Amino acid sequence: MNNQEKEIEAYLRGEMRGEELRAFEKEIATDSVLAREIALYREMNVLYDDADWEITDSNIENRKVNEYETFLKSEKGRSIANSIQNVEDEYFDSKPSNQMRRFIVYVGSIAAILVIGLFVVFQLNKNFESENLYAEYKNWSDLPSLTLRNSNTDLAEAEKLFKQEKYKEALDLFLKYQSEDKVSSVNSQVVLYIGISQLELDKNEDALQSFRALLHSDSLDATKAYWYISLAYLKMNQVDDAKEQLQELIKDPGNYKYETAKKILKKLK
Amino acid sequence: MTDQKYDDYLLQSLVTGDESGIREIYKKIYPKVFKYVCKHDGTEDDAKDVMQKALLQLSVRAQVKEFSITSSFEGYFFTTCKNVWRREVKMSKSRVTNDAVIDLIHEEKEIALAAFEQEKWELFQEKLQEISENCRKVLKFFFNKIPYAKIADEMDYATENTVRQRIFKCKKKLKEAIQSDSRYNELKEL
């Protein structure tokens, strides 16, 4: 180690004091090579420390920083930021965390107990409200996400509104999408969302019509309609009609909600 | 799709803002980021924030044609996320300890600075591979603030003074490697 190297070491380790320190600082101020060297050693100390990070002064004048900033503020940069935000929203909407899942199972079992409780009440005073069943069994969170298969932004927006329970706005967008959709005459998933939005908005007859359209489509999801029509009738207190639909549903064990339908039928008897 | 093609697809989705590709990145890597951030004193919101910032930062850097990733996309991106979290921790620490008012900077500027810092960090890591293995080992200890006595012990050096000498030599070599790289000059103030 030569003399200057020794000085640099002492300086970096903070071992310089008083007169010696002042003299060395003066040297740094006048010797740009020395100054750069010290700066680099300092950078190394931070950059190679796994527990540290070098934060750049925000007033730095550097071509790259400027370019990056300009890009981020450009239309393209903003649109990419938007896409990332969209994906994030959707990812966290459709993916409940483990804790959430446990919570849902927990709430689900409480719901089941409640239903059994309600059943007992029903047996006792024959005052069972089918609307309660509707409330217990409607679970819109298990609807398939629309945006997974289609990146149409209107649909994504509509689904978001739906999840925020803004059914009116969601319905408008879904209907708009459906009227513009030339590819498939019936997009079964969208029809489901339309029907449920109508149901939530108390447009029960419209909802029934939507579900029936699904039932008569050649979509793979057509038989799901039995379930949703049953729910609609439960909501409307038309227990006999609900039963009829549920009977249709349990004719094929492969149908959506087969087990649940059997359970409800038992309770309704 | 081969691994390489899949990785290219993920990176490309960030270049263009393609949501289906970005969704894949979330599915694949967010759970790890979440675990990492939570393990290092962060919350779920922090993890979300880190993920967003890292994606945006990488998108900016990948806009230039020359940008490429030599390791796997997943490994590379996860490292970026870890660094973003280190940055956040450092920022919040300096906010707590510094009485001076820290300028509130625009998000765009912040992402631009973080991208710049990440680039520099990568260059420094790359340069570390250019010195001898022995030097690398000694310096790893040194930069992570392991006491000289312990380093002497670990590396079988007779005295602390030998350690000091060795560290200085290695640091000098590393410094020269960095200085002679033209990219380093681009990462300095104009």
Side-chain angles (χ1 to χ4, degrees):
Chain A
M1 258 195 244
N2 64 30
N3 254 347
Q4 196 186 45
E5 285 173 350
K6 274 182 191 153
E7 280 178 332
I8 292 176
E9 269 298 277
Y11 177 74
L12 285 172
R13 265 190 271 130
E15 287 167 2
M16 268 188 188
R17 293 278 179 272
E19 197 46 51
E20 196 190 9
L21 177 65
R22 267 189 292 278
F24 194 67
E25 278 173 342
K26 215 172 170 186
E27 210 182 318
I28 298 172
T30 50
D31 183 346
S32 63
V33 177
L34 176 65
R36 251 178 283 149
E37 203 146 294
I38 298 250
L40 178 50
Y41 276 126
R42 283 218 158 118
E43 276 180 314
M44 285 163 65
N45 281 340
V46 181
L47 277 151
Y48 290 118
D49 182 346
D50 293 339
D52 207 345
W53 188 257
E54 189 195 32
I55 309 269
T56 318
D57 180 354
S58 61
N59 294 317
I60 187 178
E61 279 300 327
N62 176 280
R63 183 181 57 82
K64 283 201 171 180
V65 174
N66 292 342
E67 275 173 14
Y68 292 163
E69 196 183 351
T70 311
F71 175 78
L72 284 160
K73 286 180 172 166
S74 73
E75 206 177 309
K76 189 175 178 205
R78 286 190 198 278
S79 114
I80 291 173
N82 243 336
S83 301
I84 293 172
Q85 184 65 56
N86 284 344
V87 174
E88 197 210 84
D89 289 347
E90 176 205 309
Y91 179 83
F92 291 105
D93 269 355
S94 60
K95 270 254 153 66
S97 63
N98 281 337
Q99 264 178 337
M100 251 321 248
R101 248 178 243 137
R102 245 174 272 136
F103 178 73
I104 290 169
V105 170
Y106 177 64
V107 170
S109 32
I110 291 181
I113 293 166
L114 268 177
V115 170
I116 295 166
L118 287 169
F119 176 60
V120 172
V121 171
F122 171 64
Q123 291 296 71
L124 287 178
N125 56 20
K126 309 280 177 203
N127 196 17
F128 190 88
E129 280 184 17
S130 65
E131 265 186 73
N132 283 329
L133 269 182
Y134 166 75
E136 297 304 335
Y137 281 100
K138 71 169 197 176
N139 179 10
W140 309 148
S141 67
D142 60 5
L143 282 172
S145 176
L146 294 171
T147 40
L148 283 175
R149 51 199 82 197
N150 195 323
S151 52
N152 181 297
T153 48
D154 262 0
L155 265 194
E157 180 60 24
E159 189 183 339
K160 205 165 113 189
L161 288 166
F162 180 90
K163 287 194 169 126
Q164 294 166 350
E165 299 182 8
K166 294 178 179 161
Y167 296 114
K168 185 167 185 330
E169 292 85 345
L171 181 59
D172 289 345
L173 273 180
F174 280 130
L175 289 172
K176 180 172 163 259
Y177 172 81
Q178 206 194 24
S179 66
E180 287 166 357
D181 186 19
K182 307 276 190 297
V183 197
S184 55
S185 52
V186 178
N187 180 336
S188 58
Q189 313 288 4
V190 176
V191 173
L192 267 185
Y193 275 89
I194 289 176
I196 293 167
S197 303
Q198 288 163 332
L199 206 54
E200 288 287 353
L201 291 166
D202 277 329
K203 297 178 173 176
N204 298 332
E205 289 300 332
D206 289 351
L208 279 174
Q209 223 173 344
S210 301
F211 295 138
R212 280 191 199 116
L214 174 64
L215 187 60
H216 297 121
S217 72
D218 49 12
S219 147
L220 286 173
D221 289 330
T223 53
K224 274 192 181 179
Y226 287 127
W227 171 250
Y228 288 100
I229 295 174
S230 316
L231 279 181
Y233 280 133
L234 284 175
K235 177 169 184 280
M236 294 157 76
N237 268 323
Q238 301 184 19
V239 181
D240 287 338
D241 292 322
K243 273 192 198 168
E244 200 181 302
Q245 291 298 322
L246 291 168
Q247 291 292 356
E248 283 297 318
L249 197 162
I250 60 165
K251 278 183 186 164
D252 180 354
N255 277 345
Y256 182 63
K257 296 280 185 190
Y258 172 77
E259 291 295 335
T260 322
K262 279 211 306 200
K263 247 187 259 169
I264 298 183
L265 271 173
K266 244 190 206 169
K267 281 165 200 160
L268 288 175
K269 259 172 198 161
Chain B
M1 243 192 272
T2 63
D3 285 356
Q4 185 56 49
K5 269 202 177 140
Y6 184 65
D7 279 5
D8 287 346
Y9 159 72
L10 295 180
L11 183 63
Q12 222 33 51
S13 75
L14 280 177
V15 176
T16 58
D18 166 43
E19 294 189 13
S20 59
I22 300 174
R23 197 173 295 126
E24 291 282 309
I25 302 174
Y26 263 93
K27 272 194 230 158
K28 222 175 138 181
I29 308 176
Y30 176 76
K32 286 182 188 163
V33 176
F34 174 69
K35 250 191 214 155
Y36 179 83
V37 171
C38 289
K39 222 177 164 181
H40 293 83
D41 298 327
T43 64
E44 186 176 4
D45 279 342
D46 291 327
K48 287 183 189 178
D49 191 49
V50 164
M51 187 78 186
Q52 260 202 17
K53 284 180 174 162
L55 286 169
L56 208 48
Q57 176 194 121
L58 183 53
S59 167
V60 178
R61 289 185 57 203
Q63 295 298 323
V64 273
K65 278 196 202 82
E66 309 88 70
F67 184 84
S68 68
I69 291 173
T70 45
S71 60
S72 74
F73 180 88
E74 187 175 337
Y76 179 83
F77 185 72
F78 186 54
T79 304
T80 307
C81 288
K82 285 202 262 188
N83 285 341
V84 170
W85 180 237
R86 272 158 70 184
R87 183 176 204 275
E88 296 293 312
V89 170
K90 178 88 186 257
M91 291 277 269
S92 63
K93 269 189 197 154
S94 59
R95 263 185 219 118
V96 174
T97 51
N98 268 10
D99 286 338
V101 182
I102 291 179
D103 284 340
L104 275 177
I105 42 173
H106 289 294
E107 219 202 328
E108 287 93 355
K109 182 85 184 203
E110 211 194 304
I111 302 283
L113 290 171
F116 171 82
E117 288 158 16
Q118 173 68 21
E119 201 165 337
K120 196 162 162 186
W121 183 86
E122 282 168 21
L123 173 68
F124 273 54
Q125 297 302 319
E126 192 188 314
K127 290 288 138 185
L128 199 55
Q129 302 308 314
E130 288 178 14
I131 56 173
S132 71
E133 207 195 319
N134 176 283
C135 263
R136 205 155 49 232
K137 223 171 155 187
V138 175
L139 288 183
K140 277 234 150 110
F141 285 129
F142 168 76
F143 286 124
N144 286 298
K145 315 222 163 32
I146 307 294
Y148 288 117
K150 183 113 195 283
I151 301 178
D153 217 34
E154 291 275 340
M155 305 281 298
D156 244 358
Y157 286 121
T159 64
E160 283 183 35
N161 205 37
T162 335
V163 177
R164 252 169 230 253
Q165 298 274 351
R166 185 77 191 134
I167 287 171
F168 191 79
K169 265 197 189 133
C170 293
K171 268 206 316 193
K172 201 171 160 189
K173 268 190 200 142
L174 184 54
K175 182 205 72 177
E176 282 160 5
I178 296 169
Q179 267 178 328
S180 61
D181 194 306
S182 63
R183 288 172 296 172
Y184 176 65
N185 289 317
E186 288 178 28
L187 294 168
K188 281 194 300 198
E189 189 123 11
L190 286 179

